[in-house]
Amino acid sequence: MIEQMTTHQTKKEGYTALVIGVSAGGLAALELFLPQLPKLFSLAIIVLQHRGQNSVKSIEDNDEDFLVDYFKARCTMPVLEATMGDKIKTGHIYIAPVQYHLLIEQQQTFSFSLEPPVNYARPSIDVLFESASHCYKNQLIGLILTGASSDGSQGLKMIKLNGGLTIVQEPSTAEASFMPTAAIASHKVDYILPLKDISTFLINFTLKDQGDD
Amino acid sequence: MSEKLTEESLLITKGRFSNVVNKIELEDFEINLLLQAVLFRYGYDFHHYARASITRRINNCMRKTGLSNISEMIAKILHDVDFFELFLKEMSVTVTEMFRDPEVFNTLRQQVFTQLKTYSRVNIWHAGCATGEEVYSVAIMLKEEGLLSRCQIYATDFNNHSLTIAEKAIYPAEKMAEFTHNYILSGGKASFADYYQAKHQHAKMHSSLKEHITFANHNLMKDQSFAKMHLIICRNVLIYFDQVLQNQVLKVFQQSLLHRGYLLLGDKESLDFSDQSKNFLCIAKKQKIYQKINYD
Ligand SMILES: C[S@@+](CC[C@H](N)C(=O)[O-])C[C@H]1O[C@@H](n2cnc3c(N)ncnc32)[C@H](O)[C@@H]1O
């Protein structure tokens, strides 16, 4: 049998990006783990936190830069808002702004869309994860944290299908268990971890991943 | 890590035609063929649209029309003109509202309209106007500033279906509460209810607003400049284009603008990475208002 290797079978280079989807209870959860990551963390991190009433503008949304400033003040990794055309760099944390769907293009840049909300959310985690999976394929890690929505399940499953790694916060440790539970039901996720262990896991995992070439 | 690609993501054929194809790659291949078919048959070049979001819309269109794969869509595109109309409609994201981002309209009123008052005739090009909500918002503000009577507004889009709705100026009455809220936040000087007539579930915008608006089909992918403008409004359209098409469109805008003419972009758009940044001065960074500075 002739096994033709197709171009997609990227040779092992390790993981390059981590996408995080989080909804209700997200600020506290993110605060527990993003600041733990070292300055030279080897992945690009893209965080999508549902805010306000998702698609509808609400009071909190008026201060659009709030999350960026909040984590800038707490993280050792550089924190930026995702902007159109921005080349996604490893070692940086990008925060999805409100009101628009955030997508990742083949060239590892951000793009936006005003399509209607998906799973009542804009930005939607599914939209981000699906495009991220398309771009990074088996070099992507997807993480679903606390939330009271089913957004993200389909996207996480897609990451798994395309050879990426999937992690879900153990629902009992989540302020809102619905979203992690839905994600776990969508496919066989690789790791289900208590919130407090996630940063250590990621640090060890990425170190190991880079080590064994 | 390649062995981690799961079976479900691959199309595996055994025996004589043995090959392994990743489903993502197959889809990319089909989309390339589809875009080529669209270009060949109708002259619309979607190759320079942001790929991730157009991929989403193509897949949505496929599901909506009951097709089971993109290759089926290619046949439809090539042989069925009506299907292409529908395809075009699906490729355009028409979501819009009145006075979206009220503070932008407030700034426009204060920083740009005050300058426009110095001209006896004012041309405004509203590119990618979708179903018209934004055009009427601007017309209302111009009216309140006593400018509307000397304005010619060209409102264009490449989606004929949207343009028809824009021309009718009839919107769901249930949206009026939100629009009114935005209107007030944007510094509206009168009562928003004076600008429309509600009947049953519908609200019809006042016909006096329309007198100075011309709706027309204009395709930013290929159509050129058609008049000299004092102000160009193009919000949430460039986000769908790649850098190449963005630059091309911005060049058309630059050529269309009079010296010191204004350009208003959407919240996520900017001239920062474009070829045109040197030809414009940013006069309101957050509100994305630019002014043309160089002669050409
Ligand atoms: C999201 S809407 C923007 C509506 C409005 N400007 C706003 O911001 O609320 C995007 C519009 O761009 C239009 N558009 C996309 N590609 C275009 C093209 N090549 N030429 C003209 N209009 C285009 C779409 O048809 C759609 O109506």
Side-chain angles (χ1 to χ4, degrees):
Chain A
M1 184 170 120
I2 312 145
E3 262 295 301
Q4 186 186 323
M5 287 298 280
T6 49
T7 48
H8 70 270
Q9 301 201 333
T10 36
K11 66 177 204 309
K12 178 166 172 59
E13 290 171 69
Y15 293 97
T16 45
L18 164 67
V19 281
I20 302 174
V22 54
S23 190
L27 193 63
L30 289 170
E31 192 175 345
L32 241 158
F33 110 87
L34 287 180
Q36 307 301 320
L37 301 173
K39 189 165 185 179
L40 295 175
F41 192 60
S42 62
L43 306 178
I45 302 181
I46 301 114
V47 180
L48 193 161
Q49 153 89 70
H50 287 163
R51 273 177 279 177
Q53 297 157 329
N54 300 328
S55 60
V56 185
K57 229 182 173 161
S58 74
I59 316 262
E60 309 107 83
D61 289 347
N62 285 342
D63 192 3
E64 283 206 33
D65 306 327
F66 168 74
L67 267 193
V68 177
D69 292 342
Y70 191 83
F71 286 110
K72 241 186 206 161
R74 287 164 177 77
C75 293
T76 49
M77 288 176 73
V79 179
L80 326 156
E81 179 178 288
T83 52
M84 181 170 72
D86 223 3
K87 179 87 189 165
I88 301 169
K89 295 191 287 272
T90 56
H92 290 67
I93 298 175
Y94 298 90
I95 311 271
V98 292
Q99 295 253 39
Y100 291 75
H101 288 300
L102 176 67
L103 297 97
I104 297 178
E105 298 292 329
Q106 287 301 294
Q107 307 76 22
Q108 306 188 356
T109 55
F110 291 114
S111 72
F112 291 99
S113 173
L114 273 178
E115 276 163 73
V118 172
N119 309 313
Y120 308 101
R122 193 177 66 198
S124 144
I125 302 170
D126 277 346
V127 172
L128 171 67
F129 280 21
E130 281 172 22
S131 62
S133 162
H134 207 121
C135 168
Y136 289 105
K137 305 188 178 72
N138 59 359
Q139 299 181 4
L140 181 69
I141 302 176
L143 169 62
I144 291 286
L145 299 174
T146 170
S149 152
S150 63
D151 193 23
S153 301
Q154 286 313 308
L156 196 70
K157 183 176 170 188
M158 186 78 95
I159 291 175
K160 175 80 182 182
L161 282 179
N162 289 321
L165 185 88
T166 59
I167 309 173
V168 176
Q169 174 178 4
E170 160 127 28
S172 66
T173 69
E175 196 172 314
S177 61
F178 192 87
M179 199 158 89
T181 308
I184 291 166
S186 73
H187 71 286
K188 196 172 167 304
V189 300
D190 294 304
Y191 296 94
I192 299 169
L193 303 170
L195 180 61
K196 64 172 176 37
D197 295 348
I198 293 179
S199 54
T200 321
F201 172 86
L202 283 171
I203 293 166
N204 291 336
F205 187 84
T206 48
L207 285 176
K208 197 170 121 256
D209 179 51
Q210 289 182 316
D212 61 19
D213 279 310
Chain B
M1 251 181 350
S2 54
E3 69 277 9
K4 281 222 265 81
L5 282 167
T6 55
E7 290 248 327
E8 271 180 273
S9 72
L10 301 173
L11 297 167
I12 300 172
T13 47
K14 297 229 165 75
R16 199 143 75 90
F17 304 112
S18 80
N19 200 356
V20 180
V21 173
N22 182 327
K23 277 185 189 165
I24 294 185
E25 284 196 334
L26 180 65
E27 186 191 78
D28 277 344
F29 183 82
E30 287 180 293
I31 288 179
N32 282 333
L33 290 179
L34 176 75
L35 299 186
Q36 255 177 284
V38 168
L39 177 59
F40 170 72
R41 184 75 169 79
Y42 304 96
Y44 281 68
D45 190 354
F46 282 100
H47 285 96
H48 293 292
Y49 272 55
R51 191 61 181 259
S53 63
I54 198 136
T55 297
R56 274 189 64 74
R57 294 198 294 287
I58 290 170
N59 280 317
N60 284 344
C61 176
M62 182 182 89
R63 277 190 288 271
K64 265 195 193 170
T65 51
L67 301 172
S68 43
N69 56 55
I70 293 166
S71 296
E72 282 182 21
M73 193 183 283
I74 299 171
K76 284 269 204 188
I77 289 286
L78 290 175
H79 300 290
D80 181 348
V81 179
D82 292 340
F83 183 85
F84 178 65
E85 285 266 1
L86 195 127
F87 174 83
L88 268 191
K89 193 175 143 223
E90 291 298 321
M91 289 311 108
S92 104
V93 176
T94 60
V95 177
T96 183
E97 61 188 68
M98 289 202 189
F99 301 98
R100 187 210 297 272
D101 309 323
E103 71 291 359
V104 170
F105 286 87
N106 212 342
T107 313
L108 193 66
R109 194 193 281 259
Q110 290 177 15
Q111 300 203 19
V112 177
F113 287 9
T114 39
Q115 292 305 311
L116 295 184
K117 283 180 184 165
T118 60
Y119 298 95
S120 57
R121 296 217 37 82
V122 175
N123 281 343
I124 298 175
W125 178 12
H126 208 125
C129 68
T131 43
E133 284 85 335
E134 223 178 42
V135 190
Y136 292 111
S137 309
V138 170
I140 287 171
M141 282 191 349
L142 289 167
K143 195 175 169 122
E144 292 185 358
E145 296 303 315
L147 273 165
L148 187 60
S149 55
R150 66 181 101 155
C151 285
Q152 171 61 53
I153 304 175
Y154 301 92
T156 66
D157 203 287
F158 82 145
N159 180 338
N160 281 332
H161 182 258
S162 293
L163 284 173
T164 311
I165 296 172
E167 253 182 310
K168 284 195 179 126
I170 299 174
Y171 302 106
E174 77 212 25
K175 295 225 171 136
M176 291 300 139
E178 191 196 343
F179 292 171
T180 306
H181 181 67
N182 285 353
Y183 167 78
I184 294 167
L185 291 180
S186 74
K189 291 183 171 168
S191 159
F192 187 65
D194 294 345
Y195 297 111
Y196 67 88
Q197 243 182 340
K199 223 189 215 170
H200 310 300
Q201 267 71 281
H202 301 293
K204 187 167 178 19
M205 302 314 291
H206 216 280
S207 59
S208 66
L209 294 173
K210 252 168 57 171
E211 277 164 24
H212 300 271
I213 308 174
T214 306
F215 290 98
N217 189 301
H218 181 283
N219 183 352
L220 293 167
M221 284 182 241
K222 56 177 184 175
D223 297 335
Q224 296 303 310
S225 164
F226 53 89
K228 282 287 180 192
M229 303 293 165
H230 296 81
L231 165 65
I232 296 178
I233 299 173
C234 183
R235 302 179 72 209
N236 302 308
V237 180
L238 297 182
I239 47 172
Y240 299 105
F241 299 167
D242 73 3
Q243 194 66 55
V244 175
L245 188 53
Q246 283 180 36
N247 278 328
Q248 184 188 316
V249 170
L250 288 170
K251 185 158 185 216
V252 172
F253 290 166
Q254 195 264 347
Q255 289 165 342
S256 304
L257 281 172
L258 291 157
H259 180 55
R260 296 197 175 285
Y262 296 93
L263 173 64
L264 171 62
L265 299 177
D267 190 44
K268 296 286 167 266
E269 297 154 341
S270 82
L271 295 183
D272 289 353
F273 303 108
S274 84
D275 298 347
Q276 289 301 330
S277 61
K278 59 183 183 303
N279 296 328
F280 286 87
L281 194 73
C282 180
I283 63 165
K285 195 165 161 43
K286 193 166 183 319
Q287 290 80 11
K288 305 293 153 67
I289 306 177
Y290 297 87
Q291 185 170 29
K292 178 172 161 177
I293 46 170
N294 283 353
Y295 293 96
D296 59 341

